[in-house]
Amino acid sequence: MTNNKIIEEIKAEISKIIVGQEDMVNSILIGLLTNGHILLEGVPGLAKTTTVKTVADVIDLKFKRVQFTPDLLPSDIIGAQIYDMKTSEFKIKKGPIFTNLLLADEINRAPAKVQSALLEVMQERQVTIAEDSFKVDSPFLVLATQNPIEQEGAYTLPEAQLDRFMFKIVVGYNTKEEEFQIAKKVTSSKKEDVNKVINKQSLEDLRKEVESIHIDEELQRYIVDIICATREPKEYGLEEIADYIQFGASPRATIDMFKAVKAMAFIRGNDYVSPLDIALIIKNVLRHRIILSYEAEAMQKTTDEIIQKIMEVIQVP
């Protein structure tokens, strides 16, 4: 079976449960192919949790879900050292972080201590409990959902943590036809079961294929120009948005773009990166990494609008 056929079969199995939401599904697959964490933002009821669970089933990965709440403790996620009364010894009880796909549900409802507990494992793929460090399973991805910050009890995530997410996907409502299909599917007496398409080893093989995807040097420089334009917009003739940006995207954004465009080309069945691959994912990579100024917020500007303006000005090679 060719790699493109494998991706199509994975998507076909996911579509048995999930109707529409192609951008979310593609982004999760790119995250799996590149070891990139994904942040999913949207109102409740848009199948964010169901999508992650379905992907885990199709790729035969371990899956755990943690509901983030204001009273959550770091030990509830990473584990703790506990005293065993029978043996009169301390032992390590590992938390739900030891899995392949960790669904951090409503991540922006938890306190700062819990947010910081995730930082080490997201970057280093290891956790520290008591005095010992433990590697998490491979592959390991945090797939976090968050509510729009306008909702009660939701807070903005720290910039350092946001930067560790490869993508921020804004999950919107389904179309009217998709909504009709969802209602029919959910209320039907016939329940669909998904089949496992690949396993961990097959996923590792696909990752190696993604790494070999060709990206031309001109396109690499084009990506770097886009990132640099978020930091120094005036140097690229973007004076009109200069006052709207407080901080531009970090070097991690450039690294994630290089990885993600290769995976996007792979998912689309190509063995090389095209400008279209960049256009398809640029907002997902940058929207959470550009910090807007007070002027931008006062003018109700969004990071998506800033990225769009940059894309319009910088010449495609």
Side-chain angles (χ1 to χ4, degrees):
M1 189 186 297
T2 64
N3 293 331
N4 199 39
K5 281 281 175 60
I6 293 173
I7 296 296
E8 289 306 316
E9 192 170 329
I10 290 171
K11 286 186 176 182
E13 289 299 318
I14 293 170
S15 68
K16 288 181 180 179
I17 307 296
I18 305 301
V19 177
Q21 302 295 4
E22 185 179 5
D23 188 33
M24 175 164 58
V25 171
N26 280 344
S27 299
I28 293 172
L29 291 178
I30 289 172
L32 283 165
L33 291 169
T34 58
N35 232 18
H37 307 295
I38 310 291
L39 181 62
L40 305 168
E41 180 179 283
V43 297
L46 297 178
K48 300 185 293 293
T49 304
T50 307
T51 302
V52 177
K53 175 69 168 67
T54 304
V55 170
D57 289 341
V58 172
I59 304 181
D60 196 18
L61 299 173
K62 288 188 290 183
F63 165 83
K64 288 182 182 173
R65 173 182 176 272
V66 177
Q67 180 66 49
F68 278 53
T69 56
D71 60 348
L72 198 70
L73 299 172
S75 57
D76 295 329
I77 301 173
I78 64 174
Q81 187 181 50
I82 60 172
Y83 184 71
D84 190 334
M85 299 285 285
K86 292 179 181 178
T87 62
S88 299
E89 293 178 347
F90 285 97
K91 66 179 183 179
I92 300 296
K93 182 182 179 184
K94 292 183 177 180
I97 204 91
F98 292 92
T99 186
N100 297 129
L101 291 183
L102 177 72
L103 178 64
D105 217 353
E106 298 189 299
I107 190 172
N108 60 334
R109 291 195 186 278
K113 278 187 178 180
V114 176
Q115 308 293 355
S116 61
L118 277 178
L119 283 178
E120 179 188 12
V121 69
M122 288 176 71
Q123 184 63 28
E124 307 297 337
R125 259 70 182 186
Q126 70 173 26
V127 296
T128 303
I129 304 174
E131 296 176 355
D132 299 315
S133 293
F134 300 89
K135 290 284 185 185
V136 293
D137 297 342
S138 181
F140 171 75
L141 259 71
V142 173
L143 292 148
T145 71
Q146 78 169 10
N147 298 302
I149 58 171
E150 293 80 11
Q151 290 207 340
E152 188 176 346
Y155 308 98
T156 305
L157 292 177
E159 287 87 349
Q161 187 167 1
L162 282 172
D163 196 37
R164 281 166 173 77
F165 287 101
M166 172 180 271
F167 285 163
K168 177 183 175 183
I169 310 301
V170 178
V171 184
Y173 290 108
N174 293 85
T175 64
K176 187 163 67 173
E177 180 58 32
E178 288 170 350
E179 192 101 358
F180 176 68
Q181 295 300 329
I182 291 168
K184 280 180 64 178
K185 190 184 287 283
V186 171
T187 55
S188 169
S189 58
K190 181 186 175 185
K191 300 301 178 186
E192 292 269 19
D193 291 320
V194 296
N195 299 311
K196 290 177 172 56
V197 177
I198 61 173
N199 55 27
K200 289 182 191 178
Q201 184 54 54
S202 306
L203 178 61
E204 192 58 42
D205 294 339
L206 291 179
R207 284 180 168 185
K208 290 174 183 173
E209 292 284 338
V210 169
E211 288 174 5
S212 67
I213 297 288
H214 175 71
I215 175 168
D216 191 80
E217 186 174 333
E218 283 192 5
L219 285 180
Q220 292 177 349
R221 293 188 179 279
Y222 173 58
I223 290 171
V224 173
D225 276 337
I226 293 170
I227 305 296
C228 289
T230 69
R231 303 170 192 162
E232 301 291 342
K234 290 181 180 178
E235 290 188 13
Y236 292 86
L238 287 157
E239 287 84 358
E240 61 184 290
I241 65 169
D243 291 337
Y244 297 150
I245 301 174
Q246 186 175 2
F247 297 107
S250 72
R252 194 178 278 120
T254 309
I255 295 166
D256 282 349
M257 272 298 297
F258 274 46
K259 292 180 185 175
V261 291
K262 286 186 175 186
M264 176 55 84
F266 181 82
I267 284 175
R268 294 178 61 236
N270 299 322
D271 58 3
Y272 61 90
V273 174
S274 72
L276 179 58
D277 297 313
I278 297 171
L280 286 170
I281 63 167
I282 187 72
K283 289 181 181 177
N284 292 344
V285 174
L286 293 185
R287 64 163 57 99
H288 56 299
R289 290 180 157 121
I290 298 173
I291 310 301
L292 297 179
S293 65
Y294 291 118
E295 291 93 327
E297 291 176 5
M299 298 286 288
Q300 296 187 322
K301 297 290 182 182
T302 66
T303 51
D304 280 18
E305 290 170 355
I306 300 296
I307 297 162
Q308 185 62 42
K309 193 65 186 174
I310 291 171
M311 294 293 286
E312 289 170 5
V313 170
I314 296 181
Q315 195 84 27
V316 180

